[in-house]
Amino acid sequence: MTRGRLGLLALAVVSSGLAYLAFEARIAAAFVAVEGNAPTRIVARPLILRLDDRPSPTRVGDYLDRVGYHRVRNGTPDVGEYRLGEREWRIGRRPLRVGSFFQPSGLARLRLDRSGRIRTIEDEGGRDIPGLILDPEVIGSAIGTRGRDRIDIELDQLPEHVVQALLTVEDRKFYEHGPFDPRRIGGAMLANLRRGRMSEGASTLTQQLARTLFLTNERTVFRKIREAAIAIALERRFEKDRLIEAYLNHIYLGQDGGLAIHGVGRAAEYFFDRDASELTLGQSAMLVGIIRGPSVYSPHRHPERALARRDLVLRQMQTQRVIDEERLAAELEDDVQIAERRTRTVDARWYLDFLRDELGREAGLTNLDGAGLTVVSSLDPDLQRAASAALKEGLTALERRRPALTEGPRSLQAALVAIDPWTGEIRAMVGGRSYAASQFNRAADARRQPGSAFKPIVALAALKAEADDPFTLASVIRDEPLSLDTPAGLWEPANADHQFLGPIRLREALEASRNVPFARLGIAIGPDRIVEMAHDLGIESSLVPVPSLALGASEVSLLELTSAYGVLAAEGGRISPHAVQSVLDPLGTTLLEANPDVSRPATPAEAYLLTSALRGVVERGTGRAVRDLGYKGPVAAKSGTTNGSRDAWFVGYTPELAVGVWVGFDDGTPIGFSGSGAALPIFTNFLKTALGPEGAGDFRFPDGIEWVQVEPETGLRAGWGCYGEPELFLTGTAPDSGCGRDSYRWRDGRRRGSSVVEDVERWLRRSLRSRRPARIQTEGRGRSGHEPGR
């Protein structure tokens, strides 16, 4: 061979070697990337049972049923089972895995007193534990382009018999040979020659792993060559333990609807309702057995075939002396329980869209597909289900009452959002009637005029203690014709009933939703102050500082307004609404924790004044249908209806939840119902399901306020010969002047007083008729029975 030819040969060898090294580097990089490509799971807020809680047994039982637990009537519950007695609950809790956080399974015993309050929580060793975290519901996932659903688990977390079963059946000499097993290849060739067909394979685990990660299942010579080359690269670059861990995390094991189940972590959860770290020998043998044909040996579709494969694997393990005959006999007698298929029972698609947008804004996580993250959300699945049901029933009832709402191509829409006012966590969000028909989120993204639902913000701005000339709930405002020249022309606000009641206290004006008094109130304090108050409460939408702003003329979102009401529920504190509690990477490291904006737009005393007035809306005013529909618990709320009945609102809060409901057409077509007629029933039905008809806690009476008897027509301090009604005031703001004094006058739209003659005339009129509050129940109603406020 000439020197030239030797040079060319050497060049070819070097080039081939460099090319292979480059190929090997690409395979190694791709292997690392695929290992990190795992589904992102979005989980709901888990149910947590704590000492001194008084949980509903029905709710706890329903929750456990939904997450796959089984109720037992007698005996000690096993893992994944529970028993709820009258005074004692026993829960065989499953292991809980969130990222790298792992809580092992075990029996929890809860003892309750006669009132149903949890007094002790003990683990199976009798040790006291402060609380019990139950399995969170998976509400969403981002699987990735390959559609593989899996749960990564480290090799040292798996029982030893998982690996033993796998090696016994698939590759007994895995730790002894390289990428290929020559003896197995020779044996397979002989077997296939004897049978005259390809009936037995000789692929090692590494070759199977190469095929699973990088290749298709087509049987061609070229694919086999690529498989061999990839296997060599994997064996050269990675330790055997890492390869077998990757195999166990990626091997295909069946289908869950349109999702492919890969890996023993997800398969253990899907088929046996348990964590892979707690697989029994029989369960491990069944999973290994179905690798050969996941559809043929599916435990759900063909349980008898899956059981036969399990028995075959167990017998092979005994033949190879991995287990003895006694263990084999015991395992063959054991009946492996296959978990029922779980269906996702909560539809939170609008909420999930909002959560993804929030992750993009707050953390730059714009693509969750295959990122292997765990997102812990704020969603309460029970409340989400209640919201969806209330919305559906409410819209159906409205269309039944007014069939014309169903005419034409458009559909009547509604939205509901529920927020924990103390944390800002969004507990439920429904953005429309049907996500399939429209993905537009009317709870978060739509901007509509709120009408009278905006009035509490105006009232809070007027009642603030630091105002130059603060109002009180007893301040008297004229309900009389008003005309005002504005750049847009003459503005003449009107009440819905087209009547005027004369002097009226601020509390009465809010309860009866009188427009003209609130127009005067807005003029008195100034539109700029209202805008400032709204922004302090978290409303970020653009608000136009014009007189009509006091009547809700500027557009806001349902989420913004509900969050603003939440400030009142939280005694003046504000935490911005959010859906994400935390984000964990595949190793369990916290990437993001909720860090909402925190502020205090009002004092507890100022917030309580509004709460008191808005409770009056429900007891005596435009929201009293809440009581008629059966909700008896403490609640403060306000309705809103825009001109022409285009938008119907009802927003309110309890000590635990702030809830907002909007009903209308997307194009602004009138619906013919007020906020009290359309949105209030949805609000009420949701509260009854969420908190029960009796509600939960009561509002706290804070420091800094006092009760004072005031004369109802003038708002002045009651005294001798002067009828009085109790009213709340910020400490030190109650009127000094009493009935009968002659130093009264009109100022800034408020009645400070009147003459002695007028006082005597009013006293005589009161002596000849019944008490004034009846006026709110009769004169305050519109002609059609709808709320008077717009």
Side-chain angles (χ1 to χ4, degrees):
M1 185 177 291
T2 66
R3 183 177 299 179
R5 289 182 177 178
L6 286 174
L8 290 174
L9 180 60
L11 179 62
V13 170
V14 170
S15 299
S16 299
L18 291 175
Y20 179 77
L21 289 176
F23 169 79
E24 185 178 285
R26 289 198 303 272
I27 292 299
F31 177 78
V32 173
V34 169
E35 274 194 310
N37 189 300
T40 290
R41 293 180 179 277
I42 305 171
V43 300
R45 179 174 179 261
L47 178 62
I48 304 175
L49 302 176
R50 300 182 180 89
L51 293 174
D52 293 326
D53 282 354
R54 191 160 53 191
S56 162
T58 301
R59 184 185 178 195
V60 173
D62 289 346
Y63 184 93
L64 291 171
D65 289 341
R66 282 196 306 273
V67 296
Y69 281 70
H70 303 284
R71 183 189 293 266
V72 295
R73 302 296 178 184
N74 300 297
T76 300
D78 199 355
V79 173
E81 298 177 339
Y82 72 95
R83 179 161 61 88
L84 304 183
E86 184 176 346
R87 301 288 294 277
E88 183 180 83
W89 295 353
R90 295 187 178 190
I91 301 174
R93 62 183 180 184
R94 293 193 297 245
L96 178 62
R97 184 182 297 278
V98 179
S100 66
F101 169 78
F102 180 68
Q103 175 183 279
S105 61
L107 181 68
R109 179 178 297 174
L110 297 82
R111 292 187 175 88
L112 296 79
D113 62 19
R114 293 187 178 183
S115 70
R117 196 178 302 278
I118 298 174
R119 287 308 180 197
T120 63
I121 306 177
E122 298 176 350
D123 62 16
E124 57 189 356
R127 293 176 292 270
D128 289 336
I129 52 179
L132 182 63
I133 304 175
L134 298 177
D135 312 39
E137 292 188 54
V138 177
I139 60 172
S141 56
I143 301 299
T145 56
R146 303 181 75 178
R148 294 181 173 183
D149 191 10
R150 63 190 187 87
I151 299 174
D152 277 346
I153 187 165
E154 296 177 8
L155 189 62
D156 59 6
Q157 294 176 328
L158 289 170
E160 188 179 5
H161 50 245
V162 174
V163 177
Q164 290 173 337
L166 176 66
L167 296 182
T168 298
V169 174
E170 295 296 331
D171 196 345
R172 297 171 192 168
K173 304 292 184 180
F174 175 72
Y175 283 98
E176 300 174 17
H177 59 66
F180 319 111
D181 185 353
R183 293 177 58 185
R184 192 174 180 187
I185 292 173
M189 290 177 64
L190 290 174
N192 294 332
L193 286 172
R194 283 196 297 268
R195 294 184 175 91
R197 57 187 175 87
M198 291 290 294
S199 62
E200 188 171 323
S203 296
T204 62
L205 284 185
T206 307
Q207 289 175 277
Q208 293 182 47
L209 178 62
R211 186 164 59 244
T212 298
L213 296 183
F214 303 112
L215 302 171
T216 65
N217 287 323
E218 62 176 347
R219 298 193 174 210
T220 65
V221 174
F222 179 70
R223 193 216 72 182
K224 291 299 290 184
I225 293 172
R226 282 181 54 82
E227 178 185 297
I230 294 171
I232 293 171
L234 293 176
E235 289 271 357
R236 279 174 47 83
R237 289 290 186 125
F238 302 102
E239 298 289 335
K240 288 281 191 177
D241 281 352
R242 187 165 180 184
L243 295 178
I244 200 169
E245 181 180 289
Y247 183 97
L248 288 166
N249 279 324
H250 287 273
I251 190 65
Y252 173 63
L253 289 168
Q255 289 287 135
D256 179 8
L259 298 179
I261 296 173
H262 283 254
V264 296
R266 179 68 178 99
E269 178 186 84
Y270 182 66
F271 292 122
F272 307 122
D273 228 351
R274 65 173 55 204
D275 191 82
S277 64
E278 299 195 338
L279 285 169
T280 65
L281 173 57
Q283 292 166 341
S284 302
M286 183 172 285
L287 288 182
V288 168
I290 64 177
I291 291 174
R292 183 65 58 88
S295 60
V296 176
Y297 302 113
S298 167
H300 283 142
R301 296 169 57 191
H302 306 292
E304 68 292 339
R305 296 180 188 174
L307 191 63
R309 285 293 295 174
R310 179 208 67 166
D311 295 349
L312 177 63
V313 173
L314 289 172
R315 289 192 174 95
Q316 288 187 17
M317 293 179 73
Q318 191 275 326
T319 301
Q320 297 298 317
R321 303 188 183 279
V322 177
I323 60 174
D324 57 28
E325 291 186 4
E326 185 178 351
R327 182 72 184 275
L328 172 64
E331 292 295 334
L332 292 176
E333 288 293 325
D334 187 32
D335 186 18
V336 175
Q337 296 295 321
I338 307 301
E340 296 179 4
R341 296 187 189 185
R342 287 194 225 170
T343 57
R344 197 163 289 163
T345 59
V346 58
D347 184 358
R349 287 175 287 179
W350 281 291
Y351 174 89
L352 291 172
D353 288 346
F354 179 87
L355 179 143
R356 291 186 179 100
D357 289 342
E358 183 179 306
L359 285 173
R361 292 193 310 270
E362 301 297 328
L365 297 173
T366 56
N367 185 10
L368 302 179
D369 289 351
L373 305 177
T374 300
V375 181
V376 182
S377 76
S378 62
L379 189 84
D380 185 318
D382 285 336
L383 297 188
Q384 182 69 16
R385 276 182 280 267
S388 298
L391 221 66
K392 180 180 179 180
E393 293 168 8
L395 290 175
T396 300
L398 288 173
E399 291 171 342
R400 190 163 49 244
R401 290 167 59 189
R402 185 160 293 176
L405 293 173
T406 63
E407 297 175 358
R410 63 191 184 281
S411 295
L412 183 63
Q413 297 290 342
L416 184 151
V417 64
I419 303 171
D420 183 333
W422 299 96
T423 64
E425 295 171 352
I426 299 172
R427 296 284 185 242
M429 177 182 282
V430 182
R433 182 169 198 151
S434 167
Y435 187 87
S438 169
Q439 293 78 53
F440 180 60
N441 190 342
R442 297 159 186 83
D445 299 329
R447 299 292 190 275
R448 309 294 287 252
Q449 292 182 343
S452 292
F454 194 78
K455 288 175 181 174
I457 297 174
V458 181
L460 182 60
L463 294 169
K464 289 281 290 179
E466 68 263 21
D468 294 334
D469 195 4
F471 285 72
T472 71
L473 290 176
S475 295
V476 177
I477 312 172
R478 287 176 293 172
D479 186 6
E480 297 175 355
L482 172 66
S483 296
L484 187 68
D485 285 323
T486 71
L490 188 65
W491 184 54
E492 295 181 296
N495 296 312
D497 58 4
H498 304 291
Q499 298 179 14
F500 299 97
L501 303 180
I504 186 172
R505 286 175 292 150
L506 195 159
R507 175 188 286 274
E508 291 180 297
L510 186 58
E511 289 180 356
S513 200
R514 307 298 294 176
N515 287 339
V516 176
F518 262 86
R520 292 183 182 276
L521 183 64
I523 294 169
I525 63 176
D528 288 330
R529 189 162 145 202
I530 297 172
V531 171
E532 182 182 358
M533 186 77 259
H535 288 166
D536 288 346
L537 294 174
I539 293 179
E540 298 178 354
S541 295
S542 177
L543 303 176
V544 183
V546 295
S548 59
L549 175 64
L551 304 185
S554 286
E555 296 178 339
V556 299
S557 75
L558 179 63
L559 179 62
E560 287 177 326
L561 192 60
T562 305
S563 177
Y565 275 61
V567 172
L568 305 176
E571 300 182 356
R574 177 183 178 271
I575 300 182
S576 58
H578 56 280
V580 178
Q581 287 187 299
S582 60
V583 179
L584 310 176
D585 70 9
L587 298 178
T589 304
T590 301
L591 295 179
L592 174 70
E593 281 190 306
N595 186 29
D597 296 330
V598 180
S599 60
R600 181 164 286 282
T603 66
E606 292 164 350
Y608 193 83
L609 291 183
L610 261 296
T611 296
S612 171
L614 294 176
R615 293 185 76 171
V617 170
V618 174
E619 301 301 336
R620 297 175 295 277
T622 58
R624 57 190 174 276
V626 169
R627 299 303 189 207
D628 298 337
L629 292 174
Y631 184 73
K632 303 174 184 178
V635 60
K638 184 72 188 74
S639 58
T641 313
T642 56
N643 289 332
S645 299
R646 290 179 173 84
D647 300 280
W649 300 68
F650 201 81
V651 187
Y653 54 93
T654 70
E656 302 83 14
L657 283 175
V659 181
V661 177
W662 168 86
V663 179
F665 285 106
D666 288 337
D667 61 3
T669 299
I671 64 172
F673 287 100
S674 67
S676 295
L680 181 151
I682 297 173
F683 174 95
T684 306
N685 289 335
F686 171 76
L687 273 193
K688 287 196 297 182
T689 303
L691 302 176
E694 303 296 329
D698 202 351
F699 296 101
R700 187 183 73 89
F701 193 88
D703 296 330
I705 53 177
E706 59 182 346
W707 288 102
V708 174
Q709 294 284 331
V710 298
E711 199 272 341
E713 290 197 7
T714 64
L716 299 177
R717 189 182 291 266
W720 181 86
C722 228
Y723 167 74
E725 293 180 353
E727 185 55 273
L728 280 172
F729 295 88
L730 299 177
T731 301
T733 64
D736 295 326
S737 301
C739 303
R741 301 186 183 183
D742 58 359
S743 59
Y744 311 147
R745 59 192 175 91
W746 290 96
R747 179 171 168 270
D748 294 336
R750 290 173 287 169
R751 188 166 186 176
R752 294 297 192 185
S754 59
S755 69
V756 175
V757 174
E758 289 175 325
D759 282 341
V760 173
E761 289 176 349
R762 282 197 305 276
W763 181 81
L764 289 172
R765 286 197 301 269
R766 285 199 307 274
S767 300
L768 297 174
R769 61 178 171 79
S770 59
R771 293 176 60 181
R772 279 287 296 274
R775 181 183 67 192
I776 301 172
Q777 299 175 5
T778 55
E779 296 176 2
R781 291 179 65 89
R783 294 178 180 175
S784 64
H786 298 161
E787 65 163 340
R790 291 286 184 185

